[in-house]
Amino acid sequence: MSKNAKINDAARLSDIVPPAVILCEPQLGENIGTAARAMANFGWVDLRIVNPRDGWPSEKARAAASRADHVIDKVQVFDSLEAAIADLTFVFATTARSREVPKPVCSPDEAAQKVVQSGVSGLPTGYIFGRERWGLNNEEVALADEIVTLPVDPDFASLNIAQAVLVCAYEWRKTATAGALPFRLDEELHPPAVKEDVVRLFEHLESALDEVTFFRPPERRPHMVRTLRNIFQKAELTEQEVRALRGVIAALERRETRPRRSDKDDNEA
């Protein structure tokens, strides 16, 4: 992040309880670690694992978490899914396949609305994610309140665990913060240019172009001037950018230019 950028306080969360992530029988420590990293990106910290194939703790998971140690250090391991969700008030099962389980189905953004509302009230919620190879079984889906699925291509619907966690976590945080971004350009350090300075830039540029007979034929000059001015207006120039452009024009004005070919030369070519 640029040293000129300030953190937007609206992007921070302190009073909304984030959901738990429950991984059912994950096979690889690396997948647990990348899921933990995705959680940390969006402020989720409660990672629960049901019967990890390679046991726990896992150095491969910690390495793949890429410094999301605060998530890895708090991991809870359970022998059953029932035990992993016992303290939660509302649970989503994530799946990309149609099930013979009569459950409401919603998208990640719709699920985020419910989870954020519960989190504001301090109620614990969670998302259940299935195995790498075949996801959740019907008995596990039956333990959830609703199903959340992503608008993926039906002919290639499989996501890895971290991808699925990332999408759900992203939608949750976007909802929880009303889409607030962590930073924007600091306008105190880069204030927009006042119109007087912008007009002087236009006049400087147009004068320099007149010197090199850029506007040809002359009757086209007003139209070409409007076009150039519109181009720069779209840029929403800052004071610093206007000064830089004036410097560029000044440097070009002092440059030795090649003589233009005459109309006679053009005819002889």
Side-chain angles (χ1 to χ4, degrees):
M1 185 183 303
S2 169
K3 65 180 180 180
N4 293 333
K6 294 195 300 187
I7 297 297
N8 179 8
D9 289 336
R12 298 187 185 278
L13 292 174
S14 58
D15 56 354
I16 301 178
V17 177
V21 168
I22 303 97
L23 306 183
C24 283
E25 300 182 353
Q27 297 177 299
L28 301 174
E30 291 89 343
N31 289 335
I32 298 173
T34 51
R37 180 180 182 178
M39 291 173 61
N41 285 146
F42 297 99
W44 290 6
V45 294
D46 187 355
L47 177 57
R48 308 178 183 192
I49 307 173
V50 178
N51 295 324
R53 186 191 67 180
D54 295 338
W56 193 263
S58 167
E59 289 306 314
K60 290 182 178 179
R62 185 175 295 276
S66 188
R67 298 190 299 279
D69 293 330
H70 61 294
V71 178
I72 295 295
D73 291 341
K74 294 181 179 180
V75 165
Q76 301 177 71
V77 180
F78 297 87
D79 294 330
S80 68
L81 178 58
E82 290 86 347
I85 65 174
D87 63 323
L88 304 179
T89 62
F90 197 96
V91 178
F92 284 99
T94 61
T95 180
R97 294 183 288 133
S98 177
R99 301 285 182 167
E100 296 178 358
V101 181
K103 298 280 183 185
V105 179
C106 66
S107 61
D109 56 322
E110 293 169 330
Q113 293 285 347
K114 294 186 177 182
V115 173
V116 168
Q117 289 173 5
S118 295
V120 169
S121 301
L123 300 175
T125 58
Y127 291 79
I128 306 170
F129 296 86
R131 301 153 189 82
E132 291 93 331
R133 295 187 63 183
W134 49 278
L136 297 169
N137 60 41
N138 287 343
E139 290 72 22
E140 291 162 342
V141 173
L143 293 172
D145 296 280
E146 294 188 17
I147 291 172
V148 59
T149 193
L150 279 61
V152 294
D153 185 338
D155 296 324
F156 196 80
S158 178
L159 279 76
N160 67 37
I161 295 173
Q163 289 175 327
V165 171
L166 186 75
V167 171
C168 292
Y170 165 77
E171 291 292 350
W172 175 86
R173 192 168 190 91
K174 185 175 70 171
T175 300
T177 64
L181 298 177
F183 68 92
R184 290 189 183 274
L185 187 67
D186 189 341
E187 292 189 356
E188 293 180 3
L189 295 176
H190 300 282
V194 298
K195 292 303 180 184
E196 180 181 9
D197 290 341
V198 175
V199 170
R200 287 178 176 174
L201 166 66
F202 293 159
E203 292 172 346
H204 188 180
L205 174 62
E206 292 151 14
S207 173
L209 293 175
D210 281 331
E211 289 295 321
V212 293
T213 61
F214 174 80
F215 299 110
R216 294 182 298 176
E219 58 269 22
R220 292 281 296 166
R221 187 182 190 282
H223 172 74
M224 299 174 75
V225 164
R226 286 195 300 271
T227 298
L228 290 172
R229 291 191 175 195
N230 282 331
I231 291 171
F232 284 105
Q233 289 284 23
K234 291 177 183 178
E236 298 181 355
L237 297 169
T238 65
E239 289 181 359
Q240 180 182 1
E241 290 168 340
V242 167
R243 289 195 298 269
L245 288 170
R246 293 287 299 270
V248 169
I249 298 168
L252 292 175
E253 286 176 319
R254 292 190 293 268
R255 186 185 67 184
E256 181 179 349
T257 58
R258 291 180 299 175
R260 290 185 175 274
R261 298 173 65 187
S262 66
D263 293 338
K264 180 179 179 180
D265 291 337
D266 291 338
N267 294 330
E268 289 177 352

